[in-house]
Amino acid sequence: MSSWDDEERAALVALLRARPEGMSWSTITSEVAEAGSACAVRERFGSSLSGETALFEMTSLEHPPDEGIEQALEDVASWSNEEFDFLTFQDEYYPPRLLEVNQAPPFVFARGKLVPDESAVSVVGSRAASEYARAVTADVARGLSGAGFTVLSGLANGIDAAAHTATLDNGGRTVAILGNGIRRVYPAANRELQERIAREGLVLSQFWPDSPPTKQSFPMRNATMSAYGVATIVVEAGERSGARIQARMAVEHGRPVILMKPVARGTDWGAQLCAQPGVFVADTPEEAVGVAERLASGEREVSRLLALATS
């Protein structure tokens, strides 16, 4: 995949903000992918874009309603001078695993080091985590990083923060996927942790740089986390936890899910999910890491065989 120039990137930004004919982001992304050019798609809509409006309700106040390609060009140029990278789904360093799912973000903003084809495992769970669950999370994160995995989480309080911190303290690599813009910090208490991850790992956002967190943005973030990783481990979660959303999305994506036993036995959704293919139950952190290792090994073998068959 070759990277687009700024004109193509700006055309994609303008399309996403305008939503011609009320198209969704995923529809716009599909049409641009099929055409191979955001400029070509934008030209096709022509005069219907003269009244371009902002896309997301969550970001509708970020830009005036009459902005168009000129504003998009200015923004793309200004982003290149900031401490983050702007990557469209057509750019070379866009995370390739995201392209495997229907909810692939049309772009991401990235702070830190992008590692192509890394093997990442999501470690997620409750924000109001128990001390026991935090300890289990730390053991899981250390085990994963010791086995060569990148530990992936969402920078929330509780399980997420415990996973990121334990990984960094163990000298491992961690990736945080945000539910808000790359210039924002949420929750505020994790500012120092977010900066540390940007220095030592990677912070990703699929939202405009100044977008606040919203009820809609977190499920979108969970979908991206599911897509980015080879598996999701749920340490502790309630009946309405965001981890439940990610686990269900992972099943839809065909990504394995590993539920720690308290989740599988202590929640209705966990018990129901256990009946789905690709869902595993682990009693201990060591068992969860072992399952992740077997799954990653199997995926690598499938990729090797596919490469041989197509060579």
Side-chain angles (χ1 to χ4, degrees):
M1 182 186 295
S2 61
S3 293
W4 269 353
D5 59 22
D6 282 355
E7 185 177 356
E8 286 285 358
R9 295 188 185 96
L12 178 64
V13 169
L15 280 168
L16 294 170
R17 288 175 176 165
R19 288 186 60 199
E21 300 180 358
M23 295 164 62
S24 67
W25 272 21
S26 59
T27 301
I28 292 170
T29 303
S30 296
E31 295 219 4
V32 171
E34 183 176 353
S37 168
C39 290
V41 173
R42 192 171 182 281
E43 288 172 5
R44 192 169 79 226
F45 286 102
S47 61
S48 67
L49 293 173
S50 60
E52 288 174 319
T53 56
L55 172 59
F56 273 165
E57 290 84 0
M58 71 182 73
T59 60
S60 61
L61 298 180
E62 192 170 336
H63 301 281
D66 60 347
E67 72 176 348
I69 190 65
E70 294 81 8
Q71 182 64 55
L73 282 165
E74 288 182 18
D75 288 339
V76 169
S78 69
W79 294 337
S80 68
N81 295 319
E82 299 210 38
E83 59 180 6
F84 51 74
D85 295 311
F86 171 59
L87 302 169
T88 75
F89 74 100
Q90 291 282 38
D91 284 318
E92 180 180 3
Y93 294 106
Y94 180 94
R97 291 183 66 89
L98 299 185
L99 297 174
E100 298 173 6
V101 304
N102 291 332
Q103 300 98 332
F107 61 79
V108 292
F109 291 91
R111 286 187 64 202
K113 183 179 180 181
L114 289 151
V115 175
D117 301 322
E118 66 182 332
S119 187
V121 176
S122 291
V123 181
V124 297
S126 174
R127 288 176 170 82
S130 65
E131 287 301 317
Y132 172 76
R134 291 171 189 265
V136 170
T137 299
D139 287 341
V140 168
R142 285 190 289 263
L144 289 171
S145 60
F149 289 103
T150 292
V151 175
L152 178 67
S153 203
L155 204 64
N157 287 329
I159 298 300
D160 290 18
H164 290 307
T165 301
T167 303
L168 292 169
D169 290 347
N170 196 51
R173 172 173 165 84
T174 190
V175 173
I177 297 185
L178 307 180
N180 47 267
I182 198 78
R183 291 194 190 111
R184 287 187 174 243
V185 177
Y186 182 83
N190 287 343
R191 179 178 298 277
E192 184 176 340
L193 179 58
Q194 182 167 323
E195 291 301 315
R196 185 181 178 191
I197 295 170
R199 290 193 307 270
E200 302 177 32
L202 177 68
V203 177
L204 282 181
S205 171
Q206 68 202 79
F207 307 105
W208 302 124
D210 293 313
S211 296
T214 71
K215 290 182 179 179
Q216 294 88 356
S217 66
F218 289 114
M220 295 169 68
R221 183 272 310 270
N222 288 124
T224 300
M225 286 173 60
S226 165
Y228 193 99
V230 299
T232 292
I233 298 176
V234 185
V235 177
E236 181 182 69
E239 293 294 349
R240 297 184 177 275
S241 170
R244 167 185 59 92
I245 296 173
Q246 178 162 335
R248 289 178 174 172
M249 287 180 172
V251 170
E252 292 177 9
H253 293 160
R255 302 284 199 260
V257 176
I258 304 166
L259 303 178
M260 297 306 297
K261 192 173 182 179
V263 178
R265 303 291 182 260
T267 64
D268 290 341
W269 69 264
Q272 293 170 5
L273 204 67
C274 287
Q276 298 292 324
V279 179
F280 304 84
V281 178
D283 287 340
T284 65
E286 294 77 16
E287 186 177 350
V289 173
V291 173
E293 289 183 292
R294 292 194 297 275
L295 292 168
S297 177
E299 184 179 85
R300 287 192 293 269
E301 180 63 13
V302 169
S303 296
R304 185 185 71 82
L305 293 173
L306 287 173
L308 287 173
T310 56
S311 62

